[in-house]
Amino acid sequence: MDQDKVLDLFRTSGALLEGHFRLSSGLHSDRYLQSALVLQFPEFADALGHALADRTRHMQPTVVLSPALGGIVIGQEVGRALGVRSIFVERQDGKLVLRRGFTLDASDRVLVVEDVITTGLSTRETIAVAEGFGALVTGAAAIIDRGSDPARLNLPMQALVRLEVPTYAPEDCPLCAKGIPVVKPGSRAS
Ligand code: ZN
């Protein structure tokens, strides 16, 4: 599946909006991504999972590890396509941890899967959890890489789409300067 096909699935399901948005961070942007909206459709989730599995099979993972909540659905789909376990880390007292009886050990080859990687911060934190159990992290994968530096993880990284989405402080926003009304994503345009 090429980049255009993936972005078509996002647009079709309303998971990629173009306009003028106020993000939850307070920053403004001309695009808004909500991958949960594309992953709600089983055929789209399945297709994206298979596409990522095809790109990562050579890493020979024995388990997929995803950060909750955003990574869980696509992690499950990639694990299913690869025929390996799929588990997730979640935040407890501000730290990502394995709970619910999920375990890793030194025999595990871990593929970290997320929906969207931006700074790579949660990816690195997820990698550190796996390494804390003595597992080998063989790579990372995301549907969309929003970062500018593909080498920032120090690890093989696969993404179906590379998409840099600029964000602006309201006072520096070129869309505000043009007088285009700003909307909060999720609210209906009238
Ligand atoms: Zn603006």
Side-chain angles (χ1 to χ4, degrees), residues 27-102:
L27 298 175
H28 291 195
S29 180
D30 65 350
R31 271 165 291 177
Y32 177 69
L33 268 176
Q34 180 47 271
S35 54
L37 289 176
V38 70
L39 294 168
Q40 73 182 310
F41 298 104
E43 68 274 31
F44 294 172
D46 176 82
L48 293 167
H50 273 92
L52 277 177
D54 289 345
R55 302 259 194 120
T56 53
R57 193 170 280 111
H58 69 278
M59 297 173 185
Q60 298 180 288
T62 60
V63 58
V64 167
L65 179 64
S66 298
L69 282 165
I72 291 179
V73 175
I74 188 62
Q76 182 78 25
E77 293 293 339
V78 174
R80 187 152 64 118
L82 290 170
V84 302
R85 285 195 296 149
S86 176
I87 65 177
F88 56 86
V89 288
E90 58 198 300
R91 237 167 250 293
Q92 186 173 44
D93 303 323
K95 276 183 60 183
L96 285 178
V97 293
L98 277 181
R99 299 180 62 194
R100 305 167 194 271
F102 289 149

Side-chain angles (χ1 to χ4, degrees), residues 20-22 27-29 168-177 180-182:
H20 182 196
F21 303 102
R22 185 188 301 114
L27 298 175
H28 291 195
S29 180
Y168 310 100
E171 58 273 23
D172 299 324
C173 176
L175 302 159
C176 284
I180 299 167
V182 64

